[in-house]
Amino acid sequence: MVQSLLPAAAVPDHTALRARLGPAAEVVAGLWPDWPAGHGTSRLVCEYLLGRSRGWLDISGRPPKPEQAGSPWTARPVVVIDDADGAMLAAATVTGAEITAYWDDLRGERRGSAVAGLLTEAGLPQPHIAAELGHVGAPGGPEIFPPGCRVVLAAPKATAALREYLQAAAGLAEEFIVVGREKHMSTAINEELAEVFDRVDVSPGLAKCRLIIGSHPRGGSSAGPAEAAPVFPRSDIRPLRVPGAAPLEVAAYGACYGGTQIDHGTDVLVTSLIDHRAKLTPAAGSPDSAGLTVADLGCGNGWLLANLQGLLNPATSIGIDVSKAALASATATLSTGNPDVQLVLADASAETDPALDALAGSCDLIVLNPPFHTGHTIETGTAHAMIRTAHRMLKPGGRLVCVYNSHLGYRGAVERTFGASRQWARDRKFTVVTAVRGA
């Protein structure tokens, strides 16, 4: 682990590094006064790009060997992907390159777009934000990779997400840089990059973070977009739990959590819904479930929503997710036999979201299998916020059915919001509770 990638004579301390950001320094100071402390990945990106552009570092992030001294730096458009808070976007301005930014997660996109606006106000060229235009790997998705670009990707939790971005960038990206905490950087990243690039380098560690860099693309970056058959979405035949229902072809893009697998908690939830089928009636009290409006808050690959349709034949089905890859996956999964499904990109963990505000008080039934992590970080605040959102979306008399890892104790959060709950199921790992919104 090194103290800095950069020569001390040129950049002796954090103050000097912040100064190298130029107009972005004011934005960074306003948002993150202690930067680069606590922002290991953006610091590493900043030092690496700055060092490369000044000739202080070679492509591996180390001082160049004598025979490499004076080798030219090639200015390239930079594509920043899945930057959690906008700090990597700010760091990437250090080279003055044209920047495109893309996020799979709507929350990151909104935070990053706000940072981009501040950078523009500070006098920097406006980054291109590929905002809410669909999933980059799906048909009709945004084209975010300029020819010959340099890609900076926050290390994804799933290797499949990296594989999909590499597929989308094939024939266009000259360099592909993956940055993350060392404990999250497996050799699988090296292997994926080596499938596309002839050279793969690993940077020195800095602030418990590291870069893995792919360069020298096979076939060259001037070849244009790759014509190979797409790897995504992947699909597998999965059984539905509803009695008599035919198996379903479940599709998943790379960044869709869990891929085509059926999460055990979701399976427990579906079984519980089947066992309590008689209680799943419209909030107005009609015994006819065909009048139901149902929503899956965090719909993932669409398997749970398909079970709901088979079980209840509702009038309206709504799938909601914060991930573009998840919505693209659900779209592919539900593309046949489910023409009336509404799929909505929205942040159910926010206090307000325009798409969900429009659905307030509209649902008879909401099912929820909330996450207990954001990226690599374990947390419960997102689940608590989603429970509150479910309450806002339900009609008076509408029902929430929620499954969770038993040790997380989400029943308390349900009761704080709804006032009372009942346990419908529990196994060695998961608990299902239900609650009804009052008048």
Side-chain angles (χ1 to χ4, degrees), residues 197-223:
F197 295 95
D198 284 331
R199 175 170 176 169
V200 177
D201 289 279
V202 179
S203 77
L206 175 66
K208 299 183 180 180
C209 300
R210 197 175 291 274
L211 305 171
I212 305 178
I213 307 114
S215 62
H216 301 285
R218 295 176 184 176
S221 64
S222 60

Side-chain angles (χ1 to χ4, degrees), residues 31-259:
L31 292 172
W32 310 288
D34 295 331
W35 190 94
H39 288 82
T41 54
S42 66
R43 175 190 174 185
L44 188 53
V45 168
C46 182
E47 291 198 9
Y48 179 77
L49 294 178
L50 176 63
R52 290 279 309 284
S53 67
R54 299 297 191 275
W56 299 331
L57 301 175
D58 66 12
I59 197 166
S60 75
R62 294 168 174 82
K65 297 175 182 178
E67 63 269 19
Q68 296 175 306
S71 60
W73 154 264
T74 303
R76 303 183 183 282
V78 175
V79 182
V80 179
I81 302 178
D82 291 339
D83 172 17
D85 58 4
M88 287 199 330
L89 175 62
T93 65
V94 74
T95 68
E98 172 190 330
I99 297 176
T100 297
Y102 171 83
W103 294 264
D104 175 66
D105 189 306
L106 182 60
R107 294 166 296 187
E109 179 178 292
R110 289 175 173 169
R111 290 189 290 265
S113 296
V115 173
L118 294 173
L119 293 171
T120 303
E121 290 175 9
L124 288 161
Q126 183 171 3
H128 172 65
I129 306 297
E132 302 189 21
L133 296 174
H135 178 53
V136 70
E143 297 179 0
I144 66 171
F145 300 105
C149 63
R150 179 175 282 117
V151 179
V152 179
L153 169 67
K157 188 170 183 179
T159 305
L162 169 59
R163 188 177 305 130
E164 184 171 35
Y165 285 131
L166 286 168
Q167 174 185 296
L172 297 168
E174 183 68 26
E175 296 176 13
F176 204 106
I177 304 161
V178 183
V179 56
R181 301 275 290 178
E182 286 191 320
K183 64 182 180 180
H184 302 143
M185 303 284 277
S186 73
T187 56
I189 295 174
N190 305 55
E191 293 165 3
E192 291 295 335
L193 290 171
E195 290 290 322
V196 179
F197 295 95
D198 284 331
R199 175 170 176 169
V200 177
D201 289 279
V202 179
S203 77
L206 175 66
K208 299 183 180 180
C209 300
R210 197 175 291 274
L211 305 171
I212 305 178
I213 307 114
S215 62
H216 301 285
R218 295 176 184 176
S221 64
S222 60
E227 299 296 334
V231 177
F232 296 95
R234 293 188 167 176
S235 61
D236 288 294
I237 302 299
R238 304 294 184 194
L240 294 179
R241 297 294 180 246
V242 178
L248 178 71
E249 185 173 358
V250 176
Y253 285 89
C256 179
Y257 177 72

Side-chain angles (χ1 to χ4, degrees), residues 8 19 176 293 299-300 331 360:
F176 204 106
T293 295
C299 64
T331 298

